[in-house]
Amino acid sequence: AERPAAMVMESNPHLDEVIISDPRDGLADSIKLLSQIRGRRYDLAIDFLANPRSALVSRLSGAKVTLSYGGRRRSGVYTHTVMPRGDYSAAQKLSLLKALGMEKGNLRPEFAVTDEARDKMDEWLAGEGFGPGKGFVLIDPTHRRITRKYTRYAEVARILCKKHGLGCIFVWGPGEEEEVKAIYEESGEG
């Protein structure tokens, strides 16, 4: 996993290990990562991304069985492919697992949170006025692609807060703070 996703996965009790990669790594680091993966002698590699980098890692992983989506340019890289089913990304990923006989699945996201992180979140929420029983929604109104940016988050926040009595917590990533603050102020929550 790349670093941001790895941070979410590291405390997951269902995972034995999280191997962290960085697409900005140079050739030497990429070779070291591939060597690390090959050294594990995995039987199966499932490529949920099917992008050029993940396809290469799957191909060079040494796994006897590699599985990903069919009907794509890189389909020939894998030993087994499945046509993705469903419009939702999680449903498409689940279709790969069905190929392994895992018919039952839950599309609800689950995040493992350490007690320390939960305590820190509870403390912050209480400090912001979100005590027990106070519902809230997180709003991330940004996207790196302008074509995928929804423009009415201020209105959504007003409806959620005024009509449904929920609190709104706006979040942002590096370089997005000013944009999010403007939406926050427009929402009337500020």
Side-chain angles (χ1 to χ4, degrees):
E2 293 177 10
R3 175 102 21 227
M7 290 170 26
V8 173
M9 297 165 48
E10 286 174 329
S11 59
N12 188 320
H14 304 295
L15 301 176
D16 294 327
E17 179 180 22
V18 177
I19 299 172
I20 300 170
S21 73
D22 187 337
R24 297 169 297 184
D25 282 346
L27 181 60
D29 287 328
S30 295
I31 291 171
K32 183 178 174 184
L33 174 69
L34 247 115
S35 177
Q36 182 183 11
I37 291 170
R38 283 185 73 86
R40 299 291 195 283
R41 300 189 184 278
Y42 293 114
D43 294 318
L44 170 66
I46 305 173
D47 185 354
F48 290 105
L49 298 177
N51 64 34
R53 183 180 168 92
S54 64
L56 182 62
V57 170
S58 295
R59 177 69 173 196
L60 300 177
S61 69
K64 294 176 183 116
V65 176
T66 56
L67 173 65
S68 193
Y69 305 107
R72 300 195 176 166
R73 285 188 309 218
R74 290 175 287 282
S75 296
V77 168
Y78 308 100
T79 61
H80 296 75
T81 59
V82 174
M83 292 304 292
R85 302 225 190 284
D87 295 327
Y88 180 46
S89 176
Q92 291 177 2
K93 288 169 175 45
L94 190 59
S95 67
L96 288 177
L97 299 179
K98 286 182 180 178
L100 300 172
M102 297 178 193
E103 292 296 323
K104 302 282 185 218
N106 182 346
L107 297 180
R108 189 183 79 235
E110 254 181 63
F111 295 99
V113 179
T114 64
D115 290 339
E116 179 184 349
R118 187 176 308 282
D119 291 344
K120 190 173 181 179
M121 286 187 300
D122 288 345
E123 182 181 325
W124 184 86
L125 287 168
E128 296 295 317
F130 296 101
K134 171 69 173 164
F136 65 90
V137 62
L138 289 176
I139 298 178
D140 180 359
T142 62
H143 198 285
R144 66 178 180 238
R145 293 186 189 156
I146 193 73
T147 56
R148 291 191 178 179
K149 218 179 248 192
Y150 181 69
T151 58
R152 297 175 65 184
Y153 278 109
E155 182 181 343
V156 169
R158 278 193 299 276
I159 291 168
L160 291 170
C161 294
K162 305 292 187 267
K163 188 174 180 181
H164 298 287
L166 295 171
C168 294
I169 300 172
F170 287 81
V171 297
W172 61 85
E176 300 170 341
E177 184 174 358
E178 292 306 314
E179 178 184 359
V180 173
K181 280 185 176 180
I183 295 167
Y184 174 76
E185 289 170 9
E186 183 186 342
S187 75
E189 288 299 292

